[in-house]
């Protein structure tokens, strides 16, 4: 693998029942790049994310993951929080470092919790008692505290109101590593990502025209244009 690529996917084909084949996908991710992945439900986005991480082997092609890659994943269903449902937020944070450097400034996990809308009193709440939005914010925070260099976020805006989305956008805007974002939130996508890709009819297509290009292609497909 060339040193400037953290992940290379070359001529990938993968197919599952009910999901269209991801046919001959080639994708190269460099350090620090921020990519968005577009596609309708059932297009194969989650499957592609699993292939990128090496969780699923392709039927054809190869996936090369850099030796220094550390994945951090925020899933739609927040499975990563399941082991902590009986713990309080403060108990979980105690397993992490006392200080982190975020946006060039030293801060603590507790301060980051406050930034994401948690009060000091709420730090004593059990994770199993939190609302969906609070769980998503906490899961995002824990993912960042794990200090990955490749961050995969699958619909991070679910369950979040407008004000909290703006805070999450600010946090992601300063993310120093490689980021792969799946979201239906156009504003979030256009603000924090540099390049957009779309899964259309099983093919991964670069969208230099962004969401507008993707929508035009979707409309053309729906109208039966070649």
């Amino acid at each position: 693998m060339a040193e400037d690529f953290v992940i290379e996917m070359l001529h990938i084909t993968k197919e599952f029942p009910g999901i269209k084949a991801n046919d001959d996908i080639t994708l190269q991710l460099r350090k620090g790049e921020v990519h968005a992945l577009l596609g309708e439900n059932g297009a194969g986005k989650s499957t592609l994310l699993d292939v990128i991480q090496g969780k699923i082997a392709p039927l054809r092609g190869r996936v090369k993951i850099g030796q220094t890659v550390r994945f951090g994943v925020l899933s739609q269903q927040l499975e990563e929080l399941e082991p902590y449902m009986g713990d309080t937020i403060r108990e979980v944070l105690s397993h992490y470092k006392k200080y982190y450097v975020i946006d060039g400034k030293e801060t603590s996990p507790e301060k980051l919790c406050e930034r994401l809308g948690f009060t000091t009193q709420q730090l004593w709440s059990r994770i199993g008692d939190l609302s969906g939005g609070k769980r998503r914010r906490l899961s995002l925070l824990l993912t960042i505290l794990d200090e990955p260099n490749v961050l995969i976020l699958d619909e991070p805006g679910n369950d979040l109101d407008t004000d909290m989305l703006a805070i999450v956008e600010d946090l992601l805007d300063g993310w120093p590593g490689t980021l792969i974002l799946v979201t239906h939130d156009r504003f979030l996508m256009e603000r924090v990502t540099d390049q957009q890709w779309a899964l259309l009819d099983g093919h991964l297509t670069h969208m230099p025209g962004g969401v507008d290009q993707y929508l035009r292609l979707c409309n053309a497909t729906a109208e039966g244009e070649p």
Side-chain angles (χ1 to χ4, degrees), residues 165-221:
L165 265 174
I167 294 172
V168 170
E169 288 159 9
D170 285 336
L171 193 61
L172 295 179
D173 204 29
W175 171 252
T178 302
L179 172 62
I180 303 171
L181 175 66
V182 177
T183 181
H184 288 92
D185 187 323
R186 177 171 181 170
F187 182 80
L188 174 63
M189 179 182 300
E190 292 181 337
R191 173 172 172 177
V192 305
T193 65
D194 303 318
Q195 300 188 53
Q196 291 82 39
W197 300 79
L199 275 171
L200 292 168
D201 293 326
H203 298 279
L204 185 67
T205 305
H206 188 216
M207 295 284 147
V211 178
D212 287 334
Q213 180 184 359
Y214 170 70
L215 293 176
R216 286 196 302 270
L217 289 173
C218 287
N219 291 335
T221 300

Side-chain angles (χ1 to χ4, degrees), residues 126-139:
R126 296 196 181 277
I127 293 174
D129 296 331
L130 298 177
S131 66
K134 287 187 174 68
R135 289 186 189 181
R136 194 163 301 278
R137 281 181 268 151
L138 179 63
S139 185

Side-chain angles (χ1 to χ4, degrees), residues 7-225:
I7 301 169
E8 283 187 295
M9 300 175 59
L10 305 173
H11 308 299
I12 296 298
T13 299
K14 186 66 188 178
E15 186 171 10
F16 288 92
I19 297 179
K20 296 177 181 179
N22 294 330
D23 183 29
D24 199 20
I25 288 174
T26 294
L27 179 64
Q28 296 170 316
L29 304 179
R30 292 181 172 84
K31 180 179 179 181
E33 288 184 337
V34 183
H35 296 260
L37 181 59
L38 299 157
E40 297 179 350
N41 293 336
K45 299 188 299 296
S46 295
T47 299
L48 182 58
L49 293 179
D50 284 341
V51 173
I52 288 173
Q53 298 171 68
K55 290 183 176 180
I56 298 176
L59 296 177
R60 184 173 63 86
R62 58 180 178 171
V63 180
K64 300 175 69 177
I65 300 172
Q67 293 183 352
T68 62
V69 168
R70 301 187 309 279
F71 286 108
V73 181
L74 176 70
S75 65
Q76 284 197 51
Q77 304 304 321
L78 305 180
E79 295 96 342
E80 53 274 12
L81 285 182
E82 290 179 1
Y84 308 113
M85 287 300 178
D87 299 332
T88 67
I89 296 175
R90 190 173 291 277
E91 287 172 336
V92 174
L93 294 181
S94 69
H95 299 299
Y96 290 85
K97 297 190 307 184
K98 293 185 180 297
Y99 295 100
Y100 290 80
V101 177
I102 304 292
D103 294 337
K105 299 178 181 179
E106 189 177 81
T107 187
S108 66
E110 290 78 12
K111 288 294 184 183
L112 285 171
C113 265
E114 291 180 17
R115 184 174 172 181
L116 288 171
F118 292 93
T119 65
T120 301
Q121 184 177 0
Q122 287 173 335
L123 295 183
W124 296 104
S125 301
R126 296 196 181 277
I127 293 174
D129 296 331
L130 298 177
S131 66
K134 287 187 174 68
R135 289 186 189 181
R136 194 163 301 278
R137 281 181 268 151
L138 179 63
S139 185
L140 175 60
L141 173 63
L142 297 181
T143 301
I144 291 175
L145 293 182
D146 283 331
E147 298 184 301
N149 52 23
V150 177
L151 187 59
I152 297 176
L153 304 180
D154 195 352
E155 297 293 353
N158 286 356
D159 307 312
L160 301 183
D161 60 29
T162 302
D163 291 339
M164 192 50 57
L165 265 174
I167 294 172
V168 170
E169 288 159 9
D170 285 336
L171 193 61
L172 295 179
D173 204 29
W175 171 252
T178 302
L179 172 62
I180 303 171
L181 175 66
V182 177
T183 181
H184 288 92
D185 187 323
R186 177 171 181 170
F187 182 80
L188 174 63
M189 179 182 300
E190 292 181 337
R191 173 172 172 177
V192 305
T193 65
D194 303 318
Q195 300 188 53
Q196 291 82 39
W197 300 79
L199 275 171
L200 292 168
D201 293 326
H203 298 279
L204 185 67
T205 305
H206 188 216
M207 295 284 147
V211 178
D212 287 334
Q213 180 184 359
Y214 170 70
L215 293 176
R216 286 196 302 270
L217 289 173
C218 287
N219 291 335
T221 300
E223 294 171 2
E225 295 180 14

